[in-house]
Amino acid sequence: MSAGPVLLELRDLHAHLSTRWGVVRAVDGVSLTVREGETLGLVGESGCGKTMTALSILRLLPQPAGRIVAGQILLEGEDLVPKSERQMRRIRGRRISMILQDPQTSLNPVFSVGNQLVEALRVHRAGPRRRLRALAQEALRQVRVAAPAQRLRDFPHQMSGGMKQRVVGAIAVSGPPRVLIADEPTTALDVTIQLQYLTLLEEIQERTRLAMLFITHDFGIVARICDRVAVMYAGRIVESGPTRELFAAPRHPYTQALMAAVPRMDESVERLPAIDGQPPALQRLPPGCRFAPRCRHADDRCQREYPAVFAVGREHEAACWRAESSPSR
Amino acid sequence: MKLLLRLEQPTSGRVLLDGRDVFTLDGTAFREYRTKVQAVFQDPWSSLNPRMRVRDTIAEALVVNRPVSAAQAQARVDEVLQQVGLAPDAGGRYPHEFSGGQRQRIALASALASSPELIVLDEPVSALDVSIRAQVMNLLKDLQAQQPLAYLLVAHNLATVRYIAHRTAVMYLGKIVEYAPTASLFRAPRHPYTKALFAAALPANPDAPREDFVLAGEVPSPIDPPTGCAFHPRCPFAMADCARVAPVAREVDAGHLVSCHLY
Ligand SMILES: Nc1ncnc2c1ncn2[C@@H]1O[C@H](COP(=O)(O)OP(=O)(O)OP(=O)(O)O)[C@@H](O)[C@H]1O
Ligand code: SF4
Ligand SMILES: [Mg+2]
């Protein structure tokens, strides 16, 4: 899909969580952009800070532990960091929405689906209840729920996981928002239902041209729906670029190792090249490159100094000393 | 799978291990069975005790099923820890002091301790990260290469199945609909449900052809499955017979069985 102007931009964002074990640098200098009509995939291992990045954007970091300590979050050019909670409430759900992994946590079990949709719509639309009810029905139809009038009366526990996630989707896009953040929305779904759901998100995006930040660790999903990808490791983006280019020619050793370690369903391999070791703890980060302890190219400088970000192609960047010498187009 | 571990009773049919009906085993024979069949689950915590040192958890798994001396047990613990690629001092630590991948190794070590013939692997890597997943899958392959060991792998990720399994059975609503050597299945999946699974899987390749064979409808309840072929309400190829007659398995290729009226 052709991408328009930048709707969301993070500039050197830092978010910390204070815990009993020390300060967790969950988001440690993240910069990224997402344009209108574009999907940016955010991938990386468990615990690398993907969800905290998403929650920072919505200003919903776990309290009281979480705090944005530096950087900017620009939504259509407007910085969200200095906004008050009251101002944020007018932005969430309206200009920027989020879909979480588990639909259970987003729906209230004691209210009917219709009730929750109407409440969501009321946040940004005035009108008599009957009209909102009709809009709610339309919202369900848009996420391809059959017999929406009857479904409005259902309670969440009467629905399958896939159906619930559709309802969450309907609420999230009812704004309709300019930016949608989806944090592993299909992990809890059956594979055949997963594809239905991804196709639906693509349709909605085509219609509303919203900018989507899609968090996942499934490279299959990335290959299918993302225009660009950002790879996160230990609180930082280590590589970003257009999906096709990143798959064809990953430049950061972590991305390279990660791609090689994914088993393929379209070819038979005898042995997968695994990455030894594990990511560093975010409260005790090494001074140099965070991947250095696991990287087979690491040298003295890698151990000492965090690598700068180098352009390695059009819109393709890598934070690795080895990318320094590469021809930058 | 629960039947195999004797966690539930079958309503009909039998489970045989080495030709013996598992549900008629008692006393010594049952204890013997418990050493021969072990399990590793998606969540390693289900076989670990958070308050016990790793060494003791593994030794306990061993002692419960076999009369062994403490010294023998400790020696075996060291051996299995080494087999799963953990440092010897790992035994003295508690499960929470390990990463997810390492905990899965510990669960595997306790399953291995009693030298089983069969290990049931229930989604053993699906909760692990890509980089750790490859480590654990390689370990599973290595262990099987080193000793006579059968795995029953339960997984929904096709790439994982292709990497580990020699033969594959595809189940829909409690019935096996297709059963074949893995290579044959991946070369030519026959059952419409298997085809749908392959079409819905997303290969890690942006240039992969998009076969949009998106299944309509939801998965029906296994408690009251549809008549005839249980897949018929969602099957794009369903014929009149499919709703009435349950298909029987037919061999379509060497060792490749399909239960579908199309074949
Ligand atoms: N409520 C919390 N309090 C303190 N630390 C937390 C909290 N939630 C998460 N963390 C820590 O913050 C870091 C980043 O976590 P985050 O949830 O962003 O990871 P993630 O990349 O989304 O991982 P996953 O793929 O498992 O969802 C982790 O080290 C985690 O342990
Ligand atoms: S900077 Fe050095 S250690 Fe880090 S990824 Fe590049 S080569 Fe490896
Ligand atoms: Mg997360």
Short mmCIF file of all heavy atoms in Angstrom, two decimals, chain B residues 27 32 34 50 59 63 79 81 88 92 95 104 110 115 159 169 171 174 183 199 208 228 231 260:
data_model
loop_
_atom_site.label_atom_id
_atom_site.label_comp_id
_atom_site.label_asym_id
_atom_site.label_seq_id
_atom_site.Cartn_x
_atom_site.Cartn_y
_atom_site.Cartn_z
N GLY B 27 0.08 -52.23 39.61
CA GLY B 27 1.24 -52.48 40.46
C GLY B 27 2.56 -52.22 39.78
O GLY B 27 2.79 -51.13 39.24
N GLU B 32 6.42 -49.49 36.04
CA GLU B 32 7.30 -49.70 34.90
C GLU B 32 6.89 -48.78 33.74
O GLU B 32 7.70 -48.12 33.11
CB GLU B 32 7.20 -51.18 34.49
CG GLU B 32 8.07 -51.58 33.33
CD GLU B 32 9.52 -51.82 33.75
OE1 GLU B 32 9.85 -51.64 34.95
OE2 GLU B 32 10.30 -52.16 32.87
N ARG B 34 5.26 -46.04 33.95
CA ARG B 34 5.54 -44.64 34.25
C ARG B 34 7.00 -44.26 34.01
O ARG B 34 7.31 -43.10 33.82
CB ARG B 34 5.16 -44.33 35.70
CG ARG B 34 3.67 -44.32 35.91
CD ARG B 34 3.24 -43.07 36.62
NE ARG B 34 4.08 -42.82 37.79
CZ ARG B 34 3.62 -42.39 38.94
NH1 ARG B 34 2.35 -42.18 39.10
NH2 ARG B 34 4.44 -42.17 39.93
N PRO B 50 8.69 -24.87 42.25
CA PRO B 50 9.44 -23.63 42.42
C PRO B 50 10.28 -23.61 43.70
O PRO B 50 11.26 -22.87 43.77
CB PRO B 50 8.35 -22.55 42.48
CG PRO B 50 7.07 -23.27 42.72
CD PRO B 50 7.24 -24.65 42.19
N ALA B 59 15.97 -35.68 40.64
CA ALA B 59 16.20 -36.91 41.40
C ALA B 59 14.88 -37.50 41.86
O ALA B 59 14.68 -38.72 41.83
CB ALA B 59 17.11 -36.63 42.60
N VAL B 63 13.50 -41.29 41.56
CA VAL B 63 13.32 -42.16 42.72
C VAL B 63 11.88 -42.66 42.86
O VAL B 63 11.65 -43.79 43.26
CB VAL B 63 13.77 -41.42 44.00
CG1 VAL B 63 13.54 -42.27 45.22
CG2 VAL B 63 15.25 -41.05 43.88
N GLU B 79 24.31 -36.61 34.73
CA GLU B 79 24.33 -37.09 33.36
C GLU B 79 23.26 -36.39 32.51
O GLU B 79 23.54 -35.91 31.42
CB GLU B 79 24.08 -38.59 33.40
CG GLU B 79 24.52 -39.36 32.19
CD GLU B 79 24.33 -40.86 32.42
OE1 GLU B 79 23.98 -41.26 33.56
OE2 GLU B 79 24.50 -41.62 31.48
N LEU B 81 21.64 -33.58 33.14
CA LEU B 81 21.88 -32.14 33.03
C LEU B 81 22.88 -31.87 31.91
O LEU B 81 22.72 -30.94 31.13
CB LEU B 81 22.41 -31.57 34.35
CG LEU B 81 21.37 -31.33 35.44
CD1 LEU B 81 22.03 -30.85 36.72
CD2 LEU B 81 20.32 -30.31 34.98
N PRO B 88 26.91 -28.17 35.23
CA PRO B 88 26.67 -29.03 36.39
C PRO B 88 26.15 -28.25 37.60
O PRO B 88 25.34 -28.76 38.37
CB PRO B 88 28.05 -29.61 36.70
CG PRO B 88 28.88 -29.39 35.48
CD PRO B 88 28.29 -28.26 34.73
N GLY B 92 22.12 -27.00 41.51
CA GLY B 92 21.98 -26.40 42.83
C GLY B 92 21.09 -25.16 42.84
O GLY B 92 20.84 -24.58 43.89
N PRO B 95 14.35 -23.20 39.96
CA PRO B 95 13.83 -22.99 38.60
C PRO B 95 13.69 -21.52 38.19
O PRO B 95 13.94 -21.18 37.05
CB PRO B 95 12.46 -23.67 38.62
CG PRO B 95 12.48 -24.62 39.76
CD PRO B 95 13.51 -24.12 40.74
N GLN B 104 12.84 -25.12 30.11
CA GLN B 104 12.34 -26.20 29.27
C GLN B 104 13.39 -27.32 29.19
O GLN B 104 13.06 -28.49 29.13
CB GLN B 104 11.97 -25.65 27.88
CG GLN B 104 11.01 -26.51 27.06
CD GLN B 104 9.71 -26.84 27.76
OE1 GLN B 104 9.68 -27.58 28.75
NE2 GLN B 104 8.62 -26.32 27.25
N SER B 110 14.34 -33.81 33.50
CA SER B 110 13.64 -34.69 34.44
C SER B 110 12.86 -35.76 33.70
O SER B 110 12.72 -36.87 34.22
CB SER B 110 12.78 -33.98 35.47
OG SER B 110 12.28 -32.82 35.08
N SER B 115 15.21 -42.80 31.86
CA SER B 115 15.47 -43.46 30.57
C SER B 115 14.20 -43.97 29.91
O SER B 115 14.02 -45.17 29.70
CB SER B 115 16.44 -44.64 30.74
OG SER B 115 17.54 -44.27 31.48
N ALA B 159 5.96 -25.69 10.75
CA ALA B 159 7.40 -25.69 10.56
C ALA B 159 8.09 -26.53 11.64
O ALA B 159 9.05 -27.25 11.37
CB ALA B 159 7.92 -24.26 10.56
N ALA B 169 0.35 -37.00 12.02
CA ALA B 169 -1.09 -37.24 11.98
C ALA B 169 -1.80 -35.90 12.15
O ALA B 169 -1.44 -35.12 13.03
CB ALA B 169 -1.50 -38.19 13.09
N MET B 171 -5.20 -33.97 13.11
CA MET B 171 -6.45 -34.24 13.82
C MET B 171 -7.44 -33.10 13.65
O MET B 171 -7.07 -31.93 13.67
CB MET B 171 -6.18 -34.37 15.31
CG MET B 171 -5.83 -35.76 15.74
SD MET B 171 -5.71 -35.77 17.54
CE MET B 171 -7.00 -36.91 17.94
N GLY B 174 -10.95 -34.36 17.29
CA GLY B 174 -10.72 -35.64 17.95
C GLY B 174 -10.51 -36.82 17.02
O GLY B 174 -10.32 -37.94 17.49
N ALA B 183 7.45 -36.08 5.10
CA ALA B 183 7.86 -35.58 3.78
C ALA B 183 6.72 -35.67 2.78
O ALA B 183 6.47 -34.75 2.01
CB ALA B 183 9.08 -36.35 3.28
N ALA B 199 -2.64 -23.63 4.01
CA ALA B 199 -2.91 -22.32 3.41
C ALA B 199 -2.91 -21.23 4.48
O ALA B 199 -2.53 -20.10 4.21
CB ALA B 199 -4.24 -22.34 2.67
N ALA B 208 6.25 -15.41 -0.66
CA ALA B 208 5.51 -16.67 -0.74
C ALA B 208 4.17 -16.43 -1.43
O ALA B 208 3.54 -15.39 -1.23
CB ALA B 208 5.28 -17.22 0.66
N GLY B 228 -21.55 -37.51 9.90
CA GLY B 228 -20.76 -37.86 8.71
C GLY B 228 -19.32 -37.47 8.91
O GLY B 228 -18.72 -37.78 9.93
N PHE B 231 -15.81 -32.53 9.35
CA PHE B 231 -15.35 -31.30 8.73
C PHE B 231 -16.35 -30.74 7.71
O PHE B 231 -16.20 -29.63 7.21
CB PHE B 231 -13.99 -31.56 8.06
CG PHE B 231 -13.30 -30.33 7.54
CD1 PHE B 231 -13.04 -29.25 8.37
CD2 PHE B 231 -12.91 -30.25 6.21
CE1 PHE B 231 -12.41 -28.11 7.89
CE2 PHE B 231 -12.28 -29.11 5.72
CZ PHE B 231 -12.02 -28.05 6.57
N CYS B 260 -11.35 -39.16 3.69
CA CYS B 260 -12.12 -38.13 3.00
C CYS B 260 -12.78 -38.78 1.80
O CYS B 260 -12.15 -39.57 1.09
CB CYS B 260 -11.19 -37.00 2.56
SG CYS B 260 -11.96 -35.84 1.44
#
